[in-house]
Amino acid sequence: MMMIEFDISTSVLPLKKRDQVKDHWLQVRLDTILPMIMHKHQVDMWVILGREYHEDPIMETLLPADVDSSRRLAIIVFSLNPDKTVDRYVIHLNPSFEPFYERVWQPANEDQWGCLARIVEEKKPSRIGVNISKHYSFCDGLSHSYYEKLVEILGTEHAGKIMSAESVALDWLQIRTEEQMMAYPGIAEIARKLAQKALSNEVIHPGITTTTDVVDWIRQRVSELGLLTSFYPTVDVIRKGMGKLEEVVILPGDVVHIDFGIHYLGLCTDTQQLAYVLRMDEQDVPEGLQAAMRTANRLEDIISDNFLDQRTGNEIFAACIKQAEDENIKAMIYSHPIGNHCHAAGPFMGMYDRQGAIPVKGELPIQNNTCYAMEFNIRQYIPEWDQEIPIYLEEPIAYKDGKVHYLAKRQTSYYVIR
């Protein structure tokens, strides 16, 4: 069967089509995920207050494509009904909020805060969730002044019902719909192809090109495609006898390492890929480096095998490190969720500067239809170099129906720069 070459430029949707896709996803998420998580966490009402130029991170995931900001003040209210459906209200005059939300503000009779007070009085919820959190920045979007205003307008009868909506917000951010799960591999593959091209002779001329030049190229190319990077990319090299180097000219014999991701259709990727620059007398990557890649791939298998439904991030980390030690693999694991954010909502499995149990973020369980960056490094002795070096890899993965799936083509060999 003939394989069709993946064309990055034609795989990126036009702007209007992107808006249509994101709006469709928003509608499906509001219809399916929202009622499920509000019922799961027994939150009767969820109030999100948006402030222009100081947006709540959750509000940003709720705005239709034709609404670019909260415009002074926007209030979204979700009210859970006894039949597990959710009434969705917006306290704003912009008609573009429909049909996602029902506009309920009567400006001739009330201001926006008065409208919110009226809805709360009509619904009489037992628990009112708001976005305050000690541990998660994207669940902590309610400003202090707006919190004070909310307490004031709710009065003594309802102010005591205010609680953190952290659990609902985390699930809203981390759980993907079936359609998003189907689309995520294409997004991840765009990022992988960009990284692969950055680590090629099309971009790198050994002895001339610097690591900074490669960063500049990939940032420019992402911009030309009308995309955003999910964080500022980095490129460095591992060089025989010198270890890891940054901001240097790339030379024959270097292992070139890129850490890079994109933000597209509201979803982030995060990947680390490796290339080797052949010396003039070499036809292939030294066997010692290839063996180290095989070890890194083995650690990926270990991590995949230890992903189990409802197992916490800390439990996965401990099990993987134990198995790696049993197999004499020197491993560091610092995997994290991906989604609307690069370091997203969900369970963390170790951190680069904390190889152990992670309080709070490591205690969250793995759930179905969630996505992660499998991020780690292994250290291995390279006979040709007579030294031990780190091998850094990171692959975007999905956890679905009890199994790990790679979102992009898994790297099992170095890209070769001649």
Side-chain angles (χ1 to χ4, degrees):
M1 182 176 68
M2 183 178 70
M3 297 298 292
I4 299 174
E5 183 66 22
F6 187 93
D7 187 335
I8 297 173
S9 60
T10 59
S11 64
V12 176
L13 298 174
L15 188 59
K16 186 62 177 178
K17 184 62 176 178
R18 296 186 213 182
D19 289 346
Q20 292 170 350
V21 169
K22 290 170 68 176
D23 277 352
H24 173 67
W25 286 355
L26 175 60
Q27 187 69 62
V28 173
R29 289 178 61 80
L30 291 170
D31 289 342
T32 59
I33 292 178
L34 180 67
M36 180 266 291
I37 61 178
M38 287 188 69
H39 174 70
K40 171 185 173 181
H41 297 291
Q42 294 299 293
V43 175
D44 304 310
M45 181 174 283
W46 187 12
V47 178
I48 299 100
L49 296 126
R51 194 172 194 174
E52 189 175 16
Y53 304 125
H54 189 58
E55 296 287 3
D56 184 317
I58 300 295
M59 177 66 81
E60 292 180 327
T61 70
L62 298 171
L63 296 178
D66 289 347
V67 181
D68 60 359
S69 77
S70 294
R71 295 292 179 92
R72 298 182 183 175
L73 170 64
I75 304 174
I76 290 178
V77 181
F78 297 127
S79 180
L80 182 65
N81 297 314
D83 64 357
K84 301 180 185 178
T85 61
V86 173
D87 293 326
R88 308 193 300 258
Y89 305 123
V90 63
I91 303 174
H92 202 280
L93 295 180
N94 190 340
S96 295
F97 275 105
E98 297 175 338
F100 306 94
Y101 313 98
E102 178 186 354
R103 290 185 296 149
V104 291
W105 182 22
Q106 302 169 8
N109 305 320
E110 60 195 0
D111 64 11
Q112 288 168 280
W113 293 102
C115 180
L116 175 58
R118 173 171 58 82
I119 292 172
V120 172
E121 180 58 32
E122 290 171 357
K123 292 292 185 176
K124 291 184 166 49
S126 299
R127 306 174 79 196
I128 303 173
V130 297
N131 293 339
I132 52 177
S133 171
K134 294 180 180 179
H135 306 291
Y136 301 96
S137 57
F138 29 67
C139 303
D140 194 35
L142 180 61
S143 69
H144 180 70
S145 60
Y146 271 15
Y147 175 81
E148 290 182 324
K149 181 67 175 179
L150 182 63
V151 170
E152 175 190 337
I153 67 104
L154 290 183
T156 55
E157 180 182 356
H158 298 294
K161 302 173 183 177
I162 293 174
M163 56 169 286
S164 170
E166 178 183 278
S167 57
V168 180
L170 286 172
D171 275 357
W172 172 255
L173 291 172
Q174 71 172 315
I175 298 173
R176 312 259 71 83
T177 65
E178 292 294 332
E179 289 175 315
Q180 288 179 309
M181 293 292 280
M182 287 188 286
Y184 223 148
I187 298 170
E189 189 64 18
I190 291 171
R192 189 193 73 83
K193 280 291 186 180
L194 284 166
Q196 182 178 359
K197 183 159 287 191
L199 299 180
S200 75
N201 283 104
E202 289 189 50
V203 176
I204 296 175
H205 301 269
I208 298 174
T209 306
T210 68
T211 53
T212 303
D213 291 335
V214 182
V215 171
D216 293 342
W217 179 89
I218 203 161
R219 292 183 66 237
Q220 183 65 42
R221 186 69 184 112
V222 169
S223 178
E224 290 168 355
L225 290 167
L227 305 176
L228 297 171
T229 55
S230 52
F231 56 95
Y232 201 97
T234 60
V235 176
D236 52 69
V237 303
I238 305 294
R239 184 170 296 168
K240 179 179 179 181
M242 302 186 72
K244 185 177 179 181
L245 301 173
E246 300 176 359
E247 299 184 2
V248 294
V249 173
I250 297 169
L251 302 177
D254 284 347
V255 174
V256 189
H257 162 251
I258 189 170
D259 190 355
F260 161 68
I262 62 171
H263 188 265
Y264 176 48
L265 296 176
L267 298 173
C268 290
T269 72
D270 192 359
T271 187
Q272 294 181 52
Q273 305 272 276
L274 297 171
Y276 178 73
V277 186
L278 293 177
R279 297 179 182 275
M280 291 187 68
D281 59 347
E282 291 178 325
Q283 299 299 315
D284 202 354
V285 180
E287 170 56 30
L289 290 175
Q290 295 186 50
M293 175 68 79
R294 291 193 291 270
T295 301
N297 291 152
R298 174 56 191 153
L299 183 60
E300 290 174 341
D301 294 338
I302 291 171
I303 296 172
S304 296
D305 291 344
N306 280 285
F307 259 76
L308 298 174
D309 196 46
Q310 296 303 308
R311 178 177 272 190
T312 68
N314 287 339
E315 290 170 340
I316 292 172
F317 173 84
C320 291
I321 290 296
K322 173 66 166 58
Q323 188 170 344
E325 290 175 349
D326 290 345
E327 297 186 22
N328 296 315
I329 298 174
K330 296 182 179 180
M332 289 179 64
I333 298 172
Y334 32 98
S335 301
H336 58 85
I338 53 174
N340 300 94
H341 308 92
C342 185
H343 291 174
F348 277 56
M349 289 141 269
M351 297 179 72
Y352 189 84
D353 57 352
R354 184 164 184 166
Q355 289 292 286
I358 307 301
V360 185
K361 293 182 179 180
E363 296 164 6
L364 294 173
I366 296 292
Q367 298 190 65
N368 193 41
N369 282 10
T370 52
C371 300
Y372 304 86
M374 182 193 290
E375 185 176 10
F376 64 90
N377 72 67
I378 62 101
R379 298 189 69 89
Q380 187 155 311
Y381 178 75
I382 310 300
E384 296 89 341
W385 290 18
D386 190 27
Q387 70 182 93
E388 182 182 89
I389 69 168
I391 298 294
Y392 300 93
L393 281 179
E394 183 174 19
E395 298 284 4
I397 60 172
Y399 181 77
K400 180 173 175 59
D401 300 330
K403 187 177 179 181
V404 166
H405 306 265
Y406 286 88
L407 291 176
K409 183 180 179 181
R410 176 187 183 190
Q411 185 172 23
T412 56
S413 60
Y414 298 83
Y415 305 130
V416 176
I417 300 169
R418 299 188 178 278

